Amino acid sequence: MVRGYTLFGEALAREGVETGFYIMGGPINDAVKAAISGGVRMVDTRHEQAAAMAAQAYARVKCKPGLCMGASGPGTINLTLGLANALVDCAPVVAFGGASPVGQYLQGSFQEVDQLAIMRPVTKWAERVYDARRIPEYVNIALRRAMAGKPGPVYIDLPGDVLYAEVDEAEVVWPKTPASAARSRPAADAATLSKVADALAKAKRPVIVTGSGILWSQASEQLGAFVDATGIPFYTTPQGRGVIPEDHPYFYAHARSTAFKEADLVLIVGTRLNYVISHARPPRFSETATIVQIDTDADAVGASDRVDIGIVADAAAVLEQLRDAVKSSLTPDGFAEWREQLATVERKRAPKHEDAIATDQMPVHPLRLCKEVRDFIDRDAILVVDGQEILNFGRQTIPTYRPGHRLNSGPFGTMGVGMPFGVGAKAARPDAQVVVLHGDGSFGLNAMELDTAARHGLPLLVVISLNGGWTADPTKVKPGRDLGYTRFDKMAESLGCYGEYVERPEDIRPALERGAAAVSKGQTAVINVVTDWRAQSTTASFTAYRT
């Protein structure tokens, strides 16, 4: 005979799950112990929303599902913000929630609430286990569904009486194959592929725009080969940065607006036509441009009337097909004039940008802080950016060179992801330099994850842009904006971390060096930099108002 919680731990081990994030509590404690006994590293966070967020970062860096758990009632409900962020960001997070005994439903048992009803709007699939013998089957299904088609979060409800039920081990339903072995890669049909090839052959000024679908498809190699073979300039959404190194000769960071406006064909791969790219509509894009979209999600491809040719298929598979289809009709020489046009814009704008970010003004301009971070971090560092102004300034200033090594809140715009993302990323890649660039407002939401990083030996370099509140406020009109200049460095020291407080631009680099030295010794470091409260970033207008 075997208990349900033992089956849960063994199921995770058989599926190859390596790490999970959770907070202890009933009825999941013995399930967590069983997972640990099976070799799963379980990282206990200081808030369940942070557990879900850490799981999302882990998933992005490892390109596999991340796992999180919560105790019944409030513990599980606290997972929902992180799961909602993962849902909008299309990230495969598998969440397990302890629940009140199913045999006591409608009797007012401890923490009784319909967790499935709460979870269904913030996940792509949610279900409850009623029979302990099927726990391994449900674990397998959850891992499959998280990665199937468009990735996203899933949820499994684990009632206490199911977890503690004793069942005959001979009757347990064990899946035949692990979830990771079941992934398919649908390709494009020949007729549609031919249409895309013909459209590319006729184009004079094409661009490629990609998103995080390239990461989940593990299509970076195929994308790079296609770009090299065709000579088409490329751009990424913030979530897909680094899929090709951003010092590639066909990437023109400062000519993005020109490229979008003047492109006569836009090949969109692995990203939605949402507000991030202005729905591919004028004035940001030409009204006459041909729009080709490749996405594994049929709903995404069918959502916009801007799409002239849509392909519902896997990015890696289609990029390989396309490279073969155009090898006799497209060469880099064919778009040399178009690339030179963008390069001319790049040569004109890049020096002005460098001059702007080198400012010695006081208080420190956030752009100068971003420059110092850019010039200091490793080329293959994992950079997490969280905040309002610092997020946008960082996007303009700091490049990324490796797939999955740039993390931010994504299209849902959730504040507070920075520290949990840092914890999740470091758990996924303990050998990598993980740098968290934080706004002071967003840092406060999950600041106690410093404690998580310290307790679990996950040393992070945390840099805070301390502009005294939420967003910039040059005209002093925003209610509730001011938070004061909190000594987060002192808070970090009290938690066993290294801390420094910086006020002058020339002191940033030495502080980063001392912080990195502490990290190399296994200590999380916080560099708290006072920045200008008036410095307001400029971005594309997404709404009629600003935060």
Side-chain angles (χ1 to χ4, degrees):
M1 304 298 288
V2 64
R3 297 279 186 182
Y5 58 75
T6 302
L7 294 174
F8 176 81
E10 187 173 346
L12 294 183
R14 289 197 186 193
E15 293 288 348
V17 174
E18 298 169 340
T19 304
F21 305 89
Y22 77 108
I23 291 183
M24 63 167 292
I28 65 166
N29 283 339
D30 284 319
V32 171
K33 286 176 63 178
I36 294 170
S37 296
V40 181
R41 182 185 189 184
M42 295 298 292
V43 177
D44 57 304
T45 61
R46 295 299 301 267
H47 196 293
E48 287 90 356
Q49 72 168 244
M53 292 170 178
Q56 178 179 342
Y58 183 93
R60 276 194 162 273
V61 173
K62 297 283 279 189
C63 201
K64 61 190 290 187
L67 183 146
C68 61
M69 295 184 71
S72 59
T76 288
I77 294 171
N78 278 343
L79 295 171
T80 56
L81 177 58
L83 295 179
N85 193 75
L87 180 69
V88 178
D89 197 33
C90 306
V93 173
V94 177
F96 297 94
S100 56
V102 69
Q104 297 178 23
Y105 279 4
L106 304 182
Q107 294 180 359
S109 59
F110 178 62
Q111 295 185 330
E112 180 180 343
V113 66
D114 190 348
Q115 295 174 184
L116 271 188
I118 294 168
M119 287 295 183
R120 282 182 171 140
V122 296
T123 59
K124 62 183 285 191
W125 180 78
E127 198 46 82
R128 177 178 293 128
V129 182
Y130 291 95
D131 185 341
R133 293 170 297 182
R134 298 186 65 189
I135 287 176
E137 177 190 2
Y138 274 75
V139 170
N140 180 269
I141 292 171
L143 291 165
R144 288 173 185 262
R145 285 187 176 252
M147 289 294 289
K150 179 174 69 175
V154 300
Y155 172 75
I156 298 293
D157 209 45
L158 298 171
D161 50 357
V162 176
L163 280 174
Y164 283 84
E166 193 173 52
V167 297
D168 187 341
E169 193 168 6
E171 297 178 356
V172 174
V173 181
W174 288 103
K176 294 180 179 179
T177 57
S180 58
R183 191 169 179 189
S184 63
R185 293 189 177 274
D189 66 90
T192 308
L193 195 71
S194 179
K195 288 182 182 179
V196 177
D198 289 344
L200 284 168
K202 294 174 184 176
K204 301 297 183 184
R205 300 180 304 280
V207 296
I208 299 169
V209 179
T210 69
S212 57
I214 298 294
L215 299 174
W216 303 123
S217 180
Q218 296 179 292
S220 295
E221 183 178 338
Q222 290 84 352
L223 176 63
F226 182 75
V227 167
D228 289 340
T230 61
I232 300 176
F234 71 93
Y235 294 92
T236 72
T237 65
Q239 294 303 86
R241 295 183 68 170
V243 289
I244 299 177
E246 291 182 8
D247 54 0
H248 190 283
Y250 300 159
F251 180 71
Y252 309 94
H254 299 284
R256 178 185 293 257
S257 59
T258 301
F260 285 4
K261 286 179 181 178
E262 300 193 16
D264 60 1
L265 183 145
V266 185
L267 179 62
I268 298 173
V269 188
T271 193
R272 294 159 286 184
L273 273 69
N274 60 10
Y275 77 89
V276 175
I277 57 170
S278 303
H279 310 279
R281 295 189 182 279
R284 198 173 185 195
F285 290 82
S286 169
E287 188 174 9
T288 60
T290 298
I291 307 295
V292 179
Q293 186 181 15
I294 300 166
D295 202 289
T296 191
D297 178 29
D299 289 339
V301 174
S304 174
D305 60 2
R306 279 290 282 149
V307 177
D308 297 291
I309 306 173
I311 298 178
V312 180
D314 176 75
V318 176
L319 286 167
E320 285 188 351
Q321 288 179 294
L322 265 183
R323 186 171 51 141
D324 290 341
V326 302
K327 62 183 178 183
S328 60
S329 58
L330 296 185
T331 66
D333 291 343
F335 300 119
E337 184 177 343
W338 169 228
R339 293 197 307 275
E340 179 56 29
Q341 179 182 342
L342 299 179
T344 299
V345 176
E346 182 77 13
R347 287 192 293 268
K348 180 180 179 181
R349 293 179 179 172
K352 294 180 180 179
H353 176 73
E354 287 299 311
D355 288 343
I357 67 177
T359 174
D360 288 330
Q361 75 162 65
M362 290 279 291
V364 174
H365 196 288
L367 280 172
R368 174 63 185 269
L369 175 58
C370 291
K371 176 187 185 300
E372 295 295 335
V373 171
R374 180 197 70 180
D375 295 346
F376 176 76
I377 62 176
D378 297 342
R379 180 179 174 84
D380 63 349
I382 299 173
L383 178 64
V384 180
V385 190
D386 181 24
Q388 170 69 19
E389 311 303 341
I390 199 63
L391 176 67
N392 292 313
F393 284 128
R395 183 180 298 136
Q396 299 166 22
T397 308
I398 308 173
T400 301
Y401 303 104
R402 291 193 60 179
H405 280 218
R406 186 63 165 261
L407 306 176
N408 60 65
S409 58
F412 204 41
T414 304
M415 289 282 190
V417 300
M419 280 303 304
F421 274 13
V423 167
K426 191 66 176 179
R429 283 286 310 278
D431 58 320
Q433 182 189 49
V434 179
V435 178
V436 181
L437 180 56
H438 235 306
D440 53 343
S442 62
F443 178 74
L445 290 168
N446 280 306
M448 282 303 293
E449 296 313 312
L450 283 174
D451 175 64
T452 303
R455 284 185 295 107
H456 286 276
L458 299 168
L460 309 172
L461 179 58
V462 182
V463 183
I464 300 174
S465 176
L466 183 65
N467 70 352
W470 302 99
T471 82
D473 192 12
T475 55
K476 289 286 186 180
V477 296
K478 296 178 181 178
R481 183 267 170 195
D482 293 337
L483 297 173
Y485 291 85
T486 306
R487 291 297 299 268
F488 292 119
D489 51 302
K490 297 293 186 185
M491 171 188 170
E493 290 173 354
S494 73
L495 293 170
C497 303
Y498 177 85
E500 277 204 43
Y501 185 73
V502 179
E503 296 181 284
R504 303 184 62 82
E506 64 268 25
D507 295 333
I508 298 172
R509 177 63 182 248
L512 292 175
E513 291 173 349
R514 289 187 289 269
V519 170
S520 69
K521 298 174 183 176
Q523 192 176 22
T524 287
V526 172
I527 311 301
N528 198 18
V529 183
V530 177
T531 54
D532 189 354
W533 56 270
R534 300 161 298 184
Q536 192 169 50
S537 62
T538 56
T539 61
S541 179
F542 301 141
T543 62
Y545 53 85
R546 287 183 61 91
T547 54

